[in-house]
């Protein structure tokens, strides 16, 4: 039985003005028309990408095809990245080298964040536990192994097959979730991503092993489907997104519907993040992943990617760039 519409109340730490609530409600109504209405999304914003998909559908090898099957059914899956890339598997070694170099370049910032988390003086950052090693405006280059992975025909093909239209890389960053004993907060709690596309496909490439103590993605299987999305639970707005209490998710779905995407270095976790999920609450070990977001032409999520110096916009036709 589908639950009633959520009770959306302001969080105790973030009080909203009436004007802010009105603006947010208007924005949500526009997003619903653009993203939730499949007719508008498919035959309006995504008509040409859908035609191009039918004319030139992706040719997926068995590992990628299995990812699509699992993703459609459950909304989440984990696959071996080397098997996914096949003969191009050495790309993962280049990615690791690139990420280690980024860690070295940001060593001072990482250490500062750890000290702040340990002393409780971390209020200057919206998410003090998360270091984005590519910054707020990632510079993209098709020759960069981080970008080359997303543009690989098997990787991009998974997103296209799930959307059933041509898509673009909308975001890429290297996330280092710092281990902390603090309670879960923000996206570490149960939520759905804000409605900014008909589907939101994310891939998390594990640079290091992600055991349970590293805060792996946890997902309620099937909440990506039309029926799953209609299930509503009481939510609380925390200033960034709507969060749902653990006990409400457990009561509604039970343990058998929940899966945790633990994995080894080189694995890739895939998820439609319009389904119920949480992640990044690292407690005993850091979580080090490359995060990718794929979106369609209907997407109204803000763009953050910019061409790297010397790279032409024409070289990044499969990437959503800031205007």
């Amino acid at each position: 039985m589908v639950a009633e519409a959520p009770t959306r109340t302001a969080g105790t730490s973030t009080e909203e003005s009436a004007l802010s609530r009105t603006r947010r409600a208007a924005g949500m109504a526009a997003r619903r028309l653009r993203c939730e209405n499949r007719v508008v999304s498919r035959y309006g914003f995504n008509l040409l990408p859908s035609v191009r998909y039918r004319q030139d559908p992706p040719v997926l090898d068995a590992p990628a095809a299995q990812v699509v099957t699992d993703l459609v059914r459950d909304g989440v899956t984990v696959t071996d990245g080397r098997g996914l890339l096949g003969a191009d598997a050495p790309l993962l070694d280049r990615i690791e080298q690139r990420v280690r170099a980024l860690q070295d370049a940001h060593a001072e910032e990482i250490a500062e964040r750890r000290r702040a988390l340990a002393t409780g003086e971390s209020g200057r950052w919206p998410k003090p536990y998360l270091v984005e090693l590519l910054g707020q405006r990632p510079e993209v280059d098709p020759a960069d192994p981080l970008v080359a992975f997303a543009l690989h025909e098997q990787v991009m093909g998974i997103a296209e097959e799930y959307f059933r239209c041509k898509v673009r890389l909308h975001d890429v960053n290297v996330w280092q979730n710092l281990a902390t004993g603090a309670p879960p907060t923000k996206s570490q709690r149960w939520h759905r991503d804000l409605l900014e596309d008909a589907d939101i496909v994310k891939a998390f490439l594990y640079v290091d092993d992600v055991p349970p103590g590293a805060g792996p993605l946890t997902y309620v299987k099937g909440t990506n489907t039309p029926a799953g999305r209609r299930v509503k639970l009481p939510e609380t707005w925390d200033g960034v997104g709507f969060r749902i209490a653990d006990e409400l998710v457990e009561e509604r779905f039970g343990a058998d519907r929940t899966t945790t995407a633990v994995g080894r270095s080189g694995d890739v976790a895939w998820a439609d993040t319009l389904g119920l999920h949480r992640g990044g609450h690292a407690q005993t070990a850091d979580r080090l992943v490359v995060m990718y977001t794929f979106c369609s032409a209907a997407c109204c999520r803000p763009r953050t990617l910019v061409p790297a110096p010397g790279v032409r916009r024409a070289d990044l036709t499969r990437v959503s760039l800031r205007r």
Side-chain angles (χ1 to χ4, degrees), residues 24 91 135 219:
R24 185 160 54 78
L91 176 60
Y219 198 97

Side-chain angles (χ1 to χ4, degrees), residues 134-142 144 147 169-172 303-313 316 319-323:
L134 292 181
Q136 297 298 309
R137 295 285 182 267
E139 297 179 347
V140 289
D141 182 339
D144 184 338
V147 178
L169 172 66
H170 197 84
D171 196 10
V172 56
R303 300 183 182 192
T304 61
L305 304 181
V306 297
V311 176
R312 302 176 306 160
R313 298 178 75 90
L316 295 166
V319 180
S320 294
L321 298 171
R322 281 178 60 84
R323 294 183 175 84

Side-chain angles (χ1 to χ4, degrees), residues 190-194 223-224 228-229 231 242 273-277:
W190 286 109
H191 67 285
R192 299 177 190 266
D193 281 8
L194 295 178
T223 54
N224 62 306
R229 292 186 189 182
V231 176
F242 292 102
T273 52
L274 288 178
L276 278 171
H277 66 285

